[in-house]
Coordinates of all heavy atoms in Angstrom, one line a residue:
M1018 N 221.6 -12.3 114.3 CA 221.4 -13.5 115.1 C 221.2 -13.2 116.5 O 221.9 -12.4 117.1 CB 222.7 -14.4 114.9 CG 222.5 -15.8 115.5 SD 224.1 -16.7 115.3 CE 224.3 -17.2 116.9
A1019 N 220.2 -13.8 117.1 CA 219.9 -13.6 118.5 C 220.9 -14.2 119.4 O 221.6 -15.1 119.0 CB 218.5 -14.2 118.9
K1020 N 221.1 -13.6 120.6 CA 222.1 -14.1 121.5 C 221.6 -15.5 122.0 O 220.4 -15.7 122.1 CB 222.3 -13.2 122.7 CG 221.3 -13.2 123.8 CD 221.7 -12.4 125.0 CE 220.7 -12.4 126.1 NZ 220.7 -13.7 126.9
K1021 N 222.5 -16.4 122.3 CA 222.2 -17.7 122.9 C 221.5 -17.5 124.2 O 222.0 -16.7 125.0 CB 223.4 -18.6 123.0 CG 224.0 -19.0 121.7 CD 225.1 -20.0 121.9 CE 225.7 -20.5 120.6 NZ 226.6 -21.6 120.9
L1022 N 220.5 -18.3 124.5 CA 219.9 -18.3 125.8 C 220.8 -19.1 126.7 O 221.4 -20.1 126.3 CB 218.5 -18.9 125.8 CG 217.5 -18.1 125.0 CD1 216.2 -18.9 124.9 CD2 217.2 -16.8 125.8
K1023 N 221.0 -18.7 127.9 CA 221.7 -19.5 128.9 C 220.8 -20.4 129.7 O 219.8 -19.9 130.2 CB 222.4 -18.5 129.9 CG 223.4 -19.2 130.9 CD 224.7 -19.5 130.2 CE 225.6 -20.3 131.1 NZ 226.5 -21.2 130.5
I1024 N 221.0 -21.7 129.6 CA 220.1 -22.7 130.3 C 220.9 -23.5 131.2 O 221.9 -24.1 130.8 CB 219.4 -23.6 129.2 CG1 218.7 -22.8 128.2 CG2 218.5 -24.6 130.0 CD1 218.1 -23.6 127.0
Y1025 N 220.5 -23.5 132.5 CA 221.2 -24.3 133.5 C 220.3 -25.4 133.9 O 219.1 -25.3 134.1 CB 221.5 -23.4 134.8 CG 222.9 -22.8 134.8 CD1 223.0 -21.5 134.4 CD2 224.0 -23.5 135.2 CE1 224.3 -20.9 134.3 CE2 225.3 -22.9 135.1 CZ 225.4 -21.6 134.7 OH 226.6 -21.1 134.7
F1026 N 221.0 -26.6 134.0 CA 220.3 -27.8 134.5 C 220.8 -28.0 135.9 O 222.0 -28.1 136.2 CB 220.7 -29.0 133.6 CG 220.2 -28.8 132.2 CD1 220.9 -28.0 131.3 CD2 219.0 -29.3 131.8 CE1 220.4 -27.8 130.0 CE2 218.5 -29.0 130.5 CZ 219.2 -28.3 129.6
I1027 N 219.8 -28.1 136.9 CA 220.2 -28.1 138.3 C 219.7 -29.4 139.0 O 218.6 -29.9 138.8 CB 219.5 -26.9 139.0 CG1 219.8 -25.6 138.3 CG2 219.8 -26.9 140.5 CD1 221.2 -25.1 138.5
C1028 N 220.7 -30.0 139.8 CA 220.3 -31.1 140.6 C 221.0 -30.9 142.0 O 221.6 -29.9 142.2 CB 220.7 -32.4 140.0 SG 222.4 -32.8 139.9
G1029 N 220.8 -31.9 142.8 CA 221.3 -31.7 144.2 C 222.8 -31.5 144.3 O 223.2 -30.5 144.9
A1030 N 223.6 -32.3 143.6 CA 225.1 -32.2 143.7 C 225.7 -31.5 142.4 O 226.8 -31.1 142.4 CB 225.7 -33.5 143.8
G1031 N 224.9 -31.3 141.4 CA 225.4 -30.7 140.2 C 226.2 -31.6 139.3 O 227.0 -31.2 138.5
L1032 N 226.0 -32.9 139.6 CA 226.8 -33.9 138.8 C 226.0 -34.8 138.0 O 225.8 -34.6 136.8 CB 227.7 -34.7 139.8 CG 228.8 -33.9 140.5 CD1 229.4 -34.7 141.7 CD2 229.9 -33.4 139.6
G1033 N 225.5 -35.8 138.6 CA 224.8 -36.9 137.8 C 223.6 -36.5 137.1 O 223.6 -36.5 135.8
S1034 N 222.5 -36.3 137.8 CA 221.2 -36.1 137.1 C 221.1 -34.8 136.3 O 220.5 -34.8 135.2 CB 220.0 -36.2 138.0 OG 220.1 -35.2 139.1
S1035 N 221.8 -33.8 136.7 CA 221.8 -32.5 135.9 C 222.5 -32.7 134.6 O 222.1 -32.2 133.6 CB 222.3 -31.3 136.7 OG 223.7 -31.6 137.1
L1036 N 223.6 -33.5 134.6 CA 224.4 -33.7 133.4 C 223.6 -34.6 132.5 O 223.5 -34.4 131.3 CB 225.7 -34.3 133.7 CG 226.6 -34.6 132.5 CD1 226.8 -33.4 131.6 CD2 227.9 -35.2 132.9
A1037 N 222.9 -35.6 133.0 CA 222.1 -36.5 132.2 C 220.9 -35.7 131.5 O 220.6 -35.9 130.4 CB 221.5 -37.7 133.1
C1038 N 220.3 -34.8 132.3 CA 219.2 -34.0 131.8 C 219.8 -33.1 130.7 O 219.1 -32.9 129.6 CB 218.6 -33.2 132.9 SG 217.2 -32.3 132.4
Q1039 N 220.9 -32.5 130.9 CA 221.5 -31.6 129.9 C 221.8 -32.3 128.6 O 221.5 -31.8 127.6 CB 222.8 -31.0 130.5 CG 223.6 -30.1 129.5 CD 224.9 -29.6 130.1 OE1 225.1 -29.5 131.3 NE2 225.8 -29.2 129.2
M1040 N 222.3 -33.5 128.7 CA 222.7 -34.3 127.5 C 221.4 -34.7 126.8 O 221.4 -34.6 125.5 CB 223.5 -35.5 127.9 CG 224.9 -35.1 128.3 SD 225.9 -36.4 129.2 CE 225.7 -37.8 128.1
T1041 N 220.3 -35.0 127.5 CA 219.1 -35.4 126.8 C 218.5 -34.1 126.2 O 218.0 -34.2 125.0 CB 218.1 -35.9 127.9 OG1 218.7 -37.0 128.6 CG2 216.8 -36.4 127.2
A1042 N 218.6 -33.0 126.9 CA 218.1 -31.7 126.3 C 218.8 -31.3 125.1 O 218.3 -30.8 124.1 CB 218.1 -30.6 127.4
E1043 N 220.2 -31.6 125.0 CA 221.0 -31.3 123.9 C 220.4 -32.0 122.6 O 220.3 -31.4 121.6 CB 222.4 -31.7 124.1 CG 223.3 -30.6 124.6 CD 224.7 -31.0 125.0 OE1 225.4 -31.5 124.0 OE2 225.1 -30.9 126.1
D1044 N 220.1 -33.3 122.8 CA 219.5 -34.0 121.7 C 218.2 -33.4 121.2 O 218.0 -33.3 120.0 CB 219.3 -35.5 122.1 CG 220.6 -36.2 122.4 OD1 221.6 -35.8 121.9 OD2 220.5 -37.3 123.1
V1045 N 217.4 -33.0 122.1 CA 216.1 -32.4 121.8 C 216.3 -31.1 121.1 O 215.7 -30.8 120.0 CB 215.2 -32.2 123.1 CG1 213.9 -31.4 122.7 CG2 214.8 -33.6 123.7
L1046 N 217.2 -30.3 121.6 CA 217.4 -28.9 121.0 C 218.0 -29.1 119.6 O 217.7 -28.3 118.7 CB 218.3 -28.1 121.9 CG 217.7 -27.7 123.3 CD1 218.6 -26.7 124.0 CD2 216.3 -27.2 123.2
N1047 N 218.9 -30.0 119.4 CA 219.5 -30.3 118.1 C 218.5 -30.6 117.1 O 218.5 -30.2 116.0 CB 220.6 -31.4 118.2 CG 221.9 -30.9 118.9 OD1 222.1 -29.7 119.0 ND2 222.6 -31.8 119.4
K1048 N 217.5 -31.4 117.5 CA 216.4 -31.8 116.6 C 215.6 -30.6 116.2 O 215.1 -30.6 115.1 CB 215.5 -32.8 117.4 CG 214.7 -33.7 116.6 CD 214.1 -34.8 117.4 CE 212.8 -34.4 118.1 NZ 212.2 -35.5 118.9
H1049 N 215.5 -29.6 117.0 CA 214.8 -28.4 116.7 C 215.7 -27.3 116.2 O 215.2 -26.1 116.1 CB 214.0 -27.9 117.9 CG 212.9 -28.8 118.3 ND1 211.6 -28.6 117.8 CD2 212.8 -29.9 119.1 CE1 210.8 -29.5 118.3 NE2 211.5 -30.3 119.1
N1050 N 216.9 -27.6 115.9 CA 217.9 -26.6 115.4 C 218.0 -25.4 116.4 O 218.1 -24.3 116.0 CB 217.6 -26.1 114.0 CG 217.7 -27.3 113.0 OD1 218.6 -28.0 113.0 ND2 216.7 -27.4 112.1
L1051 N 218.0 -25.7 117.7 CA 218.1 -24.7 118.7 C 219.5 -24.8 119.3 O 219.9 -25.8 119.8 CB 217.1 -24.8 119.8 CG 215.6 -24.6 119.4 CD1 214.7 -25.1 120.5 CD2 215.4 -23.2 119.0
D1052 N 220.3 -23.7 119.1 CA 221.7 -23.7 119.6 C 221.8 -22.8 120.8 O 222.0 -21.6 120.6 CB 222.6 -23.3 118.5 CG 224.1 -23.4 118.9 OD1 224.4 -24.1 119.9 OD2 224.9 -22.6 118.3
E1053 N 221.6 -23.3 122.0 CA 221.7 -22.4 123.2 C 222.9 -22.8 124.0 O 223.6 -23.8 123.8 CB 220.4 -22.6 124.0 CG 219.1 -22.5 123.2 CD 218.9 -21.2 122.5 OE1 219.6 -20.2 122.8 OE2 218.0 -21.1 121.6
S1054 N 223.2 -22.0 125.0 CA 224.3 -22.2 125.9 C 223.8 -23.1 127.1 O 223.0 -22.6 127.9 CB 224.9 -20.9 126.4 OG 225.9 -21.1 127.3
L1055 N 224.3 -24.3 127.2 CA 223.8 -25.2 128.3 C 224.9 -25.5 129.3 O 226.1 -25.6 129.0 CB 223.4 -26.6 127.7 CG 222.4 -26.5 126.5 CD1 222.1 -28.0 126.0 CD2 221.2 -25.7 126.8
D1056 N 224.5 -25.6 130.5 CA 225.5 -25.9 131.6 C 224.7 -26.6 132.7 O 223.5 -26.5 132.8 CB 226.1 -24.6 132.1 CG 227.5 -24.8 132.7 OD1 227.9 -26.0 132.9 OD2 228.3 -23.8 132.8
H1057 N 225.4 -27.2 133.7 CA 224.8 -27.8 134.8 C 225.5 -27.4 136.1 O 226.6 -27.0 136.1 CB 224.7 -29.3 134.7 CG 226.1 -29.9 134.5 ND1 226.8 -29.9 133.3 CD2 226.9 -30.6 135.4 CE1 227.9 -30.5 133.5 NE2 228.1 -30.9 134.7
E1058 N 224.7 -27.4 137.2 CA 225.2 -26.9 138.5 C 224.4 -27.5 139.6 O 223.4 -28.0 139.5 CB 225.0 -25.3 138.4 CG 225.7 -24.6 139.5 CD 227.2 -24.8 139.5 OE1 227.9 -24.2 138.6 OE2 227.7 -25.5 140.3
A1059 N 225.0 -27.4 140.8 CA 224.4 -27.8 142.1 C 223.3 -26.8 142.5 O 223.5 -25.6 142.3 CB 225.4 -28.0 143.2
I1060 N 222.3 -27.3 143.1 CA 221.2 -26.4 143.6 C 221.8 -25.3 144.5 O 221.3 -24.2 144.5 CB 220.0 -27.1 144.2 CG1 218.8 -26.1 144.3 CG2 220.4 -27.8 145.5 CD1 217.5 -26.8 144.4
S1061 N 222.8 -25.6 145.3 CA 223.4 -24.7 146.2 C 224.0 -23.5 145.5 O 224.1 -22.4 146.1 CB 224.4 -25.3 147.1 OG 225.4 -25.9 146.3
S1062 N 224.3 -23.6 144.3 CA 224.9 -22.5 143.5 C 223.9 -21.6 142.8 O 224.3 -20.6 142.2 CB 225.9 -23.1 142.4 OG 226.8 -24.0 143.0
T1063 N 222.6 -22.0 142.9 CA 221.6 -21.3 142.1 C 221.5 -19.8 142.4 O 221.4 -19.0 141.5 CB 220.2 -22.0 142.4 OG1 220.3 -23.4 142.1 CG2 219.1 -21.4 141.5
P1064 N 221.6 -19.4 143.7 CA 221.4 -18.0 144.0 C 222.4 -17.0 143.2 O 222.0 -15.9 142.9 CB 221.7 -17.8 145.5 CG 221.3 -19.2 146.0 CD 221.7 -20.2 144.9
G1065 N 223.6 -17.5 142.8 CA 224.5 -16.6 142.1 C 224.4 -16.7 140.6 O 225.1 -16.1 139.9
L1066 N 223.5 -17.6 140.1 CA 223.5 -17.8 138.6 C 222.9 -16.6 137.9 O 221.9 -16.0 138.3 CB 222.7 -19.1 138.3 CG 223.2 -20.4 138.7 CD1 222.3 -21.5 138.3 CD2 224.6 -20.6 138.1
R1067 N 223.5 -16.4 136.7 CA 223.0 -15.4 135.8 C 222.5 -16.3 134.6 O 223.3 -16.8 133.9 CB 224.0 -14.4 135.3 CG 224.6 -13.5 136.4 CD 223.6 -12.4 136.8 NE 223.9 -11.9 138.1 CZ 223.2 -12.1 139.2 NH1 222.2 -13.0 139.1 NH2 223.5 -11.6 140.3
T1068 N 221.2 -16.5 134.5 CA 220.7 -17.4 133.4 C 219.4 -17.0 133.0 O 218.7 -16.2 133.6 CB 220.7 -18.8 134.0 OG1 220.4 -19.7 133.0 CG2 219.7 -19.0 135.1
D1069 N 219.0 -17.5 131.8 CA 217.6 -17.2 131.3 C 216.6 -18.3 131.7 O 215.5 -18.0 132.1 CB 217.7 -17.2 129.7 CG 218.6 -16.1 129.2 OD1 218.3 -14.9 129.5 OD2 219.6 -16.4 128.6
I1070 N 217.1 -19.6 131.8 CA 216.2 -20.7 132.1 C 216.9 -21.6 133.0 O 218.1 -21.9 132.9 CB 215.8 -21.4 130.8 CG1 215.1 -20.5 129.8 CG2 214.8 -22.6 131.1 CD1 214.9 -21.2 128.4
I1071 N 216.1 -22.1 134.0 CA 216.6 -23.2 134.9 C 215.7 -24.4 134.7 O 214.5 -24.3 134.7 CB 216.6 -22.7 136.4 CG1 217.7 -21.7 136.6 CG2 216.7 -24.0 137.3 CD1 217.7 -21.2 138.0
V1072 N 216.4 -25.5 134.4 CA 215.6 -26.8 134.2 C 216.0 -27.7 135.4 O 217.2 -27.9 135.7 CB 216.0 -27.5 132.9 CG1 215.3 -28.8 132.7 CG2 215.8 -26.5 131.7
S1073 N 215.0 -28.3 136.1 CA 215.3 -29.1 137.2 C 214.1 -30.1 137.4 O 213.1 -30.0 136.8 CB 215.5 -28.2 138.5 OG 216.0 -29.0 139.5
A1074 N 214.4 -31.0 138.4 CA 213.3 -32.0 138.7 C 212.3 -31.3 139.6 O 212.6 -30.4 140.4 CB 213.9 -33.2 139.4
E1075 N 211.0 -31.7 139.5 CA 209.9 -31.2 140.2 C 210.2 -31.2 141.7 O 209.8 -30.3 142.4 CB 208.6 -31.9 139.9 CG 208.1 -31.6 138.6 CD 206.8 -32.5 138.2 OE1 206.5 -33.4 139.0 OE2 206.2 -32.2 137.2
N1076 N 210.9 -32.2 142.2 CA 211.1 -32.3 143.7 C 212.0 -31.2 144.2 O 212.0 -31.0 145.4 CB 211.7 -33.7 144.1 CG 212.9 -34.0 143.4 OD1 213.0 -33.9 142.1 ND2 213.9 -34.5 144.1
F1077 N 212.7 -30.4 143.4 CA 213.5 -29.3 143.8 C 212.8 -28.0 143.9 O 213.3 -27.0 144.4 CB 214.8 -29.2 142.9 CG 215.8 -30.2 143.1 CD1 216.1 -31.1 142.1 CD2 216.4 -30.4 144.4 CE1 217.1 -32.0 142.3 CE2 217.4 -31.4 144.5 CZ 217.7 -32.2 143.5
K1078 N 211.5 -28.0 143.4 CA 210.8 -26.7 143.3 C 210.7 -26.0 144.7 O 210.9 -24.8 144.7 CB 209.4 -27.0 142.8 CG 208.6 -25.8 142.3 CD 207.3 -26.2 141.7 CE 206.6 -25.0 141.1 NZ 205.4 -25.3 140.4
P1079 N 210.4 -26.7 145.8 CA 210.3 -25.9 147.1 C 211.7 -25.3 147.4 O 211.7 -24.2 148.0 CB 210.0 -27.0 148.1 CG 209.4 -28.2 147.3 CD 210.1 -28.1 145.9
Q1080 N 212.8 -25.9 147.1 CA 214.1 -25.3 147.4 C 214.3 -24.0 146.6 O 214.8 -23.0 147.1 CB 215.2 -26.3 147.1 CG 215.3 -27.3 148.2 CD 216.4 -28.3 148.0 OE1 216.2 -29.4 147.4 NE2 217.6 -28.0 148.3
F1081 N 213.9 -24.0 145.3 CA 214.1 -22.8 144.5 C 213.3 -21.6 145.1 O 213.7 -20.5 145.0 CB 213.7 -23.0 143.1 CG 214.7 -23.8 142.3 CD1 214.4 -25.1 141.9 CD2 215.9 -23.3 141.9 CE1 215.3 -25.9 141.2 CE2 216.8 -24.0 141.2 CZ 216.5 -25.3 140.8
E1082 N 212.1 -21.9 145.6 CA 211.2 -20.9 146.2 C 211.8 -20.2 147.4 O 211.4 -19.1 147.7 CB 209.8 -21.5 146.5 CG 209.1 -21.9 145.2 CD 207.9 -22.8 145.5 OE1 207.6 -23.2 146.7 OE2 207.2 -23.1 144.5
K1083 N 212.8 -20.8 148.0 CA 213.5 -20.2 149.2 C 214.5 -19.2 148.8 O 215.0 -18.4 149.6 CB 214.1 -21.3 150.1 CG 213.1 -22.2 150.7 CD 213.9 -23.3 151.5 CE 212.9 -24.4 152.0 NZ 213.5 -25.7 152.3
F1084 N 215.0 -19.3 147.5 CA 216.1 -18.4 147.0 C 215.5 -17.1 146.6 O 214.4 -17.0 146.1 CB 216.8 -19.1 145.9 CG 217.6 -20.3 146.2 CD1 217.6 -21.4 145.4 CD2 218.3 -20.4 147.4 CE1 218.3 -22.6 145.7 CE2 219.0 -21.6 147.8 CZ 219.0 -22.7 146.9
D1085 N 216.3 -16.1 146.7 CA 215.9 -14.8 146.1 C 216.6 -14.7 144.8 O 217.7 -14.2 144.6 CB 216.5 -13.7 147.1 CG 216.1 -12.3 146.6 OD1 215.1 -12.2 145.8 OD2 216.8 -11.3 146.9
L1086 N 215.8 -15.1 143.7 CA 216.4 -15.2 142.4 C 215.8 -14.1 141.5 O 214.8 -13.5 141.8 CB 216.0 -16.6 141.8 CG 216.6 -17.8 142.5 CD1 216.0 -19.1 141.9 CD2 218.1 -17.8 142.5
D1087 N 216.5 -13.8 140.4 CA 216.1 -12.9 139.4 C 214.7 -13.3 138.9 O 214.5 -14.4 138.5 CB 217.1 -12.9 138.3 CG 216.8 -11.9 137.2 OD1 215.6 -11.5 137.1 OD2 217.7 -11.6 136.4
P1088 N 213.7 -12.4 139.0 CA 212.4 -12.7 138.6 C 212.2 -13.0 137.2 O 211.2 -13.6 136.7 CB 211.5 -11.4 139.0 CG 212.5 -10.4 139.2 CD 213.9 -11.0 139.5
D1089 N 213.2 -12.6 136.4 CA 213.1 -12.9 134.9 C 213.5 -14.3 134.6 O 213.3 -14.8 133.4 CB 214.0 -11.9 134.1 CG 213.5 -10.5 134.2 OD1 212.3 -10.3 134.4 OD2 214.3 -9.6 134.0
I1090 N 214.1 -15.0 135.5 CA 214.5 -16.4 135.2 C 213.3 -17.3 135.0 O 212.4 -17.2 135.9 CB 215.4 -17.0 136.3 CG1 216.7 -16.3 136.4 CG2 215.7 -18.5 136.1 CD1 217.6 -16.7 137.6
R1091 N 213.2 -18.0 134.0 CA 212.1 -19.0 133.7 C 212.5 -20.3 134.2 O 213.6 -20.8 134.0 CB 211.8 -19.0 132.2 CG 211.4 -17.7 131.6 CD 210.1 -17.2 132.0 NE 209.0 -18.1 131.6 CZ 208.4 -18.1 130.5 NH1 208.7 -17.1 129.6 NH2 207.5 -19.0 130.1
F1092 N 211.5 -21.0 134.8 CA 211.8 -22.3 135.4 C 211.0 -23.4 134.5 O 209.9 -23.2 134.1 CB 211.3 -22.4 136.8 CG 212.2 -21.8 137.8 CD1 212.0 -20.4 138.1 CD2 213.3 -22.4 138.3 CE1 212.9 -19.8 139.0 CE2 214.1 -21.8 139.2 CZ 213.9 -20.5 139.5
V1093 N 211.7 -24.5 134.3 CA 211.1 -25.7 133.7 C 211.3 -26.8 134.6 O 212.4 -27.2 134.9 CB 211.7 -26.0 132.3 CG1 211.1 -27.2 131.7 CG2 211.5 -24.8 131.3
F1094 N 210.2 -27.3 135.2 CA 210.3 -28.4 136.1 C 209.8 -29.7 135.5 O 208.8 -29.7 134.8 CB 209.5 -28.2 137.4 CG 210.1 -27.1 138.3 CD1 209.5 -25.9 138.3 CD2 211.2 -27.4 139.0 CE1 210.0 -24.9 139.1 CE2 211.8 -26.4 139.8 CZ 211.2 -25.1 139.9
L1095 N 210.7 -30.8 135.6 CA 210.4 -32.0 134.9 C 210.1 -33.1 135.9 O 210.7 -33.2 136.9 CB 211.6 -32.4 134.1 CG 212.1 -31.4 133.0 CD1 213.5 -31.9 132.5 CD2 211.1 -31.3 131.9
H1096 N 209.1 -33.9 135.5 CA 208.8 -35.1 136.2 C 209.8 -36.2 136.0 O 210.3 -36.8 137.0 CB 207.4 -35.6 135.8 CG 207.0 -36.9 136.5 ND1 206.6 -36.9 137.9 CD2 206.8 -38.1 136.1 CE1 206.3 -38.1 138.2 NE2 206.4 -38.9 137.1
N1097 N 210.2 -36.4 134.8 CA 211.3 -37.3 134.4 C 212.4 -36.5 133.6 O 212.2 -36.1 132.5 CB 210.7 -38.4 133.6 CG 211.8 -39.4 133.1 OD1 213.0 -39.2 133.3 ND2 211.4 -40.5 132.5
I1098 N 213.5 -36.3 134.3 CA 214.5 -35.4 133.7 C 215.2 -35.9 132.5 O 215.9 -35.2 131.8 CB 215.6 -35.0 134.8 CG1 216.3 -36.3 135.3 CG2 215.0 -34.2 135.9 CD1 217.6 -36.0 136.0
V1099 N 215.0 -37.2 132.2 CA 215.7 -37.8 130.9 C 214.6 -38.2 129.9 O 214.9 -39.0 129.0 CB 216.7 -38.9 131.3 CG1 217.9 -38.4 132.0 CG2 216.0 -40.0 132.1
D1100 N 213.4 -37.7 130.0 CA 212.4 -38.0 129.1 C 212.4 -36.9 128.0 O 212.0 -35.8 128.2 CB 211.0 -38.0 129.8 CG 209.8 -38.3 128.9 OD1 210.0 -38.3 127.7 OD2 208.7 -38.5 129.4
Q1101 N 212.8 -37.4 126.8 CA 212.9 -36.4 125.7 C 211.6 -35.8 125.3 O 211.6 -34.6 125.0 CB 213.5 -37.1 124.4 CG 214.9 -37.4 124.4 CD 215.5 -37.7 123.1 OE1 214.8 -37.7 122.1 NE2 216.8 -37.8 123.0
K1102 N 210.5 -36.5 125.4 CA 209.2 -36.0 125.1 C 208.8 -34.9 126.0 O 208.3 -33.8 125.6 CB 208.2 -37.1 125.1 CG 206.8 -36.7 124.5 CD 206.0 -38.0 124.3 CE 204.6 -37.6 123.8 NZ 203.7 -37.0 124.8
E1103 N 209.0 -35.1 127.3 CA 208.7 -34.1 128.3 C 209.6 -32.9 128.2 O 209.1 -31.7 128.3 CB 208.9 -34.7 129.8 CG 208.4 -33.7 130.8 CD 208.5 -34.2 132.2 OE1 209.1 -35.3 132.5 OE2 207.9 -33.5 133.1
I1104 N 210.8 -33.0 127.9 CA 211.7 -31.9 127.7 C 211.3 -31.1 126.5 O 211.2 -29.9 126.5 CB 213.2 -32.4 127.5 CG1 213.7 -32.9 128.9 CG2 214.1 -31.2 127.0 CD1 215.1 -33.6 128.8
E1105 N 210.9 -31.8 125.4 CA 210.4 -31.2 124.2 C 209.1 -30.4 124.5 O 209.0 -29.3 124.0 CB 210.1 -32.3 123.2 CG 210.0 -31.8 121.8 CD 210.1 -32.9 120.7 OE1 209.9 -34.1 121.1 OE2 210.4 -32.6 119.6
E1106 N 208.2 -31.0 125.2 CA 206.9 -30.3 125.5 C 207.1 -29.1 126.4 O 206.3 -28.1 126.3 CB 205.9 -31.3 126.1 CG 205.4 -32.3 125.2 CD 204.6 -33.5 125.8 OE1 204.5 -33.5 127.1 OE2 204.2 -34.3 125.1
K1107 N 208.0 -29.1 127.4 CA 208.1 -28.1 128.4 C 209.2 -27.1 128.1 O 209.0 -25.9 128.4 CB 208.4 -28.7 129.8 CG 207.2 -29.5 130.3 CD 207.4 -30.1 131.7 CE 206.2 -30.8 132.2 NZ 206.4 -31.4 133.5
L1108 N 210.4 -27.5 127.6 CA 211.5 -26.6 127.4 C 211.4 -25.8 126.1 O 211.6 -24.6 126.0 CB 212.8 -27.3 127.6 CG 214.1 -26.5 127.4 CD1 214.1 -25.3 128.4 CD2 215.3 -27.4 127.6
V1109 N 211.2 -26.6 125.0 CA 211.2 -25.9 123.7 C 210.3 -24.7 123.6 O 210.7 -23.7 123.1 CB 211.0 -27.0 122.6 CG1 210.8 -26.3 121.2 CG2 212.1 -28.0 122.5
P1110 N 209.0 -24.8 124.0 CA 208.2 -23.6 123.9 C 208.7 -22.4 124.7 O 208.6 -21.3 124.3 CB 206.8 -24.1 124.5 CG 206.9 -25.5 124.5 CD 208.3 -25.9 124.6
V1111 N 209.4 -22.6 125.8 CA 209.9 -21.5 126.6 C 211.1 -20.9 125.8 O 211.2 -19.7 125.8 CB 210.4 -22.0 128.0 CG1 211.1 -20.9 128.8 CG2 209.2 -22.5 128.8
I1112 N 211.9 -21.7 125.2 CA 213.0 -21.2 124.4 C 212.5 -20.4 123.3 O 213.0 -19.2 123.0 CB 213.9 -22.4 123.9 CG1 214.6 -23.0 125.0 CG2 214.9 -21.8 122.8 CD1 215.3 -24.3 124.6
K1113 N 211.5 -20.9 122.6 CA 211.0 -20.2 121.4 C 210.3 -18.8 121.8 O 210.4 -17.9 121.1 CB 210.0 -21.1 120.7 CG 210.7 -22.2 120.0 CD 209.9 -22.9 119.0 CE 210.9 -23.8 118.2 NZ 210.3 -24.9 117.5
E1114 N 209.7 -18.8 123.0 CA 209.1 -17.6 123.5 C 210.1 -16.5 123.8 O 209.9 -15.4 123.6 CB 208.3 -18.0 124.8 CG 207.5 -16.8 125.3 CD 206.9 -17.2 126.7 OE1 206.4 -18.3 126.8 OE2 206.9 -16.4 127.6
L1115 N 211.3 -17.0 124.4 CA 212.3 -16.0 124.8 C 213.2 -15.6 123.6 O 213.9 -14.6 123.8 CB 213.2 -16.6 125.9 CG 212.5 -16.9 127.2 CD1 213.4 -17.6 128.2 CD2 212.0 -15.6 127.8
E1116 N 213.2 -16.3 122.6 CA 214.2 -16.0 121.5 C 213.8 -14.7 120.8 O 212.6 -14.4 120.5 CB 214.2 -17.1 120.4 CG 215.1 -18.2 120.9 CD 215.4 -19.2 119.8 OE1 214.5 -19.5 119.0 OE2 216.5 -19.7 119.8

């Protein structure tokens, strides 16, 4: 069995929208029988994260570019963080590629 991928959902404060996005993504992943390790965090905590994938809203993209992050981390930027269809189209292929 492959190790679970670590996926972080990032928003400004690490509370509201990242948790909503994580819960929506859980539903999508369950539908695809993907059992990964999901967590959520504030953008200010990003530089210390050890993770495979970061999922966040498109408006945070410029902030991530300022951080010196592990080049292996894959980013998934969403226009609508609680849109199951968008999460399915953008996140699921990245997970399948990394597994």
